[in-house]
Amino acid sequence: MRAARLIKMVLLLQSRPTMTAAELARELEVSERTVTRDAQALSEAGVPVYADRGRAGGYRLIGGYRTRLTGLARSEAEALFLSGVPGALREMGLEDAASAARLKVSAALLPSLRDASRTAAQRFHLDAPNWFTEPKAPALLPAVAEAVWDDRRITARYRGRDAVVERTLEPYGLVLKAGVWYLCAGVAEQGTYRVYRIDRFTAVDSDGERFERDEEFDLPAFWDERAEQFARSILRAEVVVRLSEAGARILPYVVDPAAAGEALAVAGSPGTDGWVTVTLPVESEEVAHSQLAGLGPEVEVLAPPSLRERFASDAARLASLYGT
């Protein structure tokens, strides 16, 4: 632990002109007294750490000293590419690796470029979860992430629709979608790739055995294809509606945007009143009722009759509430 801390202290001083004992203590998560002892130990080891006394004093390296300890480890280099998503790194257990990688890169940069990490952080931030949700990282995510990095097979127990099942998986990649973590994995006994929600894993074990990764596997392309298949698979019902001009404009914001776009594209021309009739794929009548209600008087449901009756009942209740 102390050796790693001493290395980090040298890298911090190499990346900045000077740092106070308080700043170093905060970065290293130790006391200022420990910083003083560490600085003395570095000096005795031949690292030219110089202490400026006084209110404006601090620690600095002298003589243009440059450490050779800036080579990135593999895990650090991989984590660095995810440095724009600190929340995801933290949930996967890679926050320390990313921090070390950023520090090493900063120490290796020219002085004129050392504020690059700060300026980038001021200009880009990714907030992945949906609004009005409290994201909670799955407890088994770090174990799954470790297996993904190391190409290690895992045996996972997974809550399916009807029962808990056990699968031997080859974990290819992780996807964070709207605050939910998914694993894209090869299923050894089936010879296929599947997607699993990690919060439905009840146990994950590994015997350390590695699998041979298919280098042609394209995670973004695979995810896009499966996501599209999933979106289409849940649209099992159809409704027929009439939409005003405003309703047609708002429709993609209250139902599946792709389904709305396709339905509007093949719809006929608007009538003389400006309204257009659209056949829309939906997940179910229940879902269609809650979604289309958001259009208010800009939509008229034509079919199925049961859904039209629901909206007629809603209209009658609203009239009784707001009528004079």
Side-chain angles (χ1 to χ4, degrees):
M1 282 295 293
R2 192 189 185 198
R5 190 175 71 243
L6 292 174
I7 291 172
K8 186 173 182 178
M9 184 174 181
V10 173
L11 292 171
L12 283 167
L13 293 174
Q14 185 172 307
S15 64
R16 306 178 194 180
T18 184
M19 294 185 69
T20 67
E23 290 172 336
L24 284 167
R26 185 168 56 252
E27 290 281 354
L28 299 172
E29 299 180 348
V30 296
S31 67
E32 293 185 31
R33 181 170 294 183
T34 298
V35 168
T36 301
R37 288 198 298 264
D38 286 352
Q40 184 177 352
L42 287 171
S43 181
E44 292 173 354
V47 178
V49 178
Y50 182 79
D52 291 314
R53 305 297 180 183
R55 178 177 295 181
Y59 292 91
R60 60 186 175 88
L61 295 174
I62 61 175
Y65 180 84
R66 306 288 294 175
T67 177
R68 294 179 180 274
L69 298 173
T70 53
L72 292 178
R74 180 175 180 83
S75 62
E76 295 168 348
E78 290 168 335
L80 186 62
F81 289 101
L82 296 174
S83 59
V85 283
L89 284 168
R90 183 170 54 254
E91 292 176 3
M92 288 190 291
L94 295 173
E95 187 175 29
D96 290 342
S99 176
R102 287 193 296 269
L103 183 57
K104 289 181 178 182
V105 169
S106 179
L109 290 175
L110 294 172
S112 61
L113 299 177
R114 285 180 186 159
D115 65 342
S117 60
R118 179 180 60 82
T119 56
Q122 289 174 338
R123 289 164 172 79
F124 175 77
H125 176 68
L126 176 64
D127 185 9
N130 280 330
W131 287 103
F132 314 117
T133 59
E134 283 294 332
K136 184 178 180 181
L140 295 174
L141 176 60
V144 175
E146 185 177 353
V148 170
W149 289 122
D150 293 341
D151 294 340
R152 284 189 285 105
R153 283 193 179 91
I154 59 173
T155 300
R157 293 180 62 82
Y158 182 84
R159 293 194 305 273
R161 290 184 178 179
D162 303 318
V164 175
V165 297
E166 185 173 293
R167 291 281 186 271
T168 299
L169 304 176
E170 297 176 346
Y172 267 74
L174 295 168
V175 176
L176 177 61
K177 171 71 171 180
V180 180
W181 283 97
Y182 297 88
L183 172 67
C184 301
V187 185
E189 56 264 37
Q190 298 177 2
T192 59
Y193 296 105
R194 297 190 62 183
V195 176
Y196 297 88
R197 278 185 61 144
I198 296 179
D199 58 6
R200 292 181 182 169
F201 284 160
T202 60
V204 173
D205 297 302
S206 174
D207 58 7
E209 182 182 355
R210 295 178 180 271
F211 65 91
E212 190 71 26
R213 174 177 286 267
D214 181 358
E215 296 301 329
E216 295 185 359
F217 179 82
D218 186 330
L219 178 60
F222 172 78
W223 176 259
D224 288 345
E225 179 184 349
R226 290 304 171 93
E228 183 178 355
Q229 289 176 359
F230 172 75
R232 291 182 178 277
S233 69
I234 64 174
L235 302 178
R236 302 186 183 94
E238 281 188 346
V239 298
V240 181
V241 297
R242 290 180 68 240
L243 297 164
S244 69
E245 183 178 347
R249 187 170 60 251
I250 301 171
L251 184 65
Y253 297 98
V254 298
V255 301
D256 179 75
E262 292 178 5
L264 290 168
V266 299
S269 301
T272 55
D273 57 0
W275 287 56
V276 63
T277 300
V278 173
T279 300
L280 181 70
V282 294
E283 184 174 347
S284 66
E285 185 174 314
E286 292 284 345
V287 173
H289 178 245
S290 63
Q291 291 176 332
L292 294 175
L295 293 176
E298 308 302 330
V299 62
E300 178 190 0
V301 175
L302 302 179
S306 55
L307 182 58
R308 182 178 175 87
E309 290 172 5
R310 287 193 183 201
F311 275 88
S313 175
D314 291 345
R317 292 173 60 195
L318 285 170
S320 67
L321 288 172
Y322 294 100
T324 58

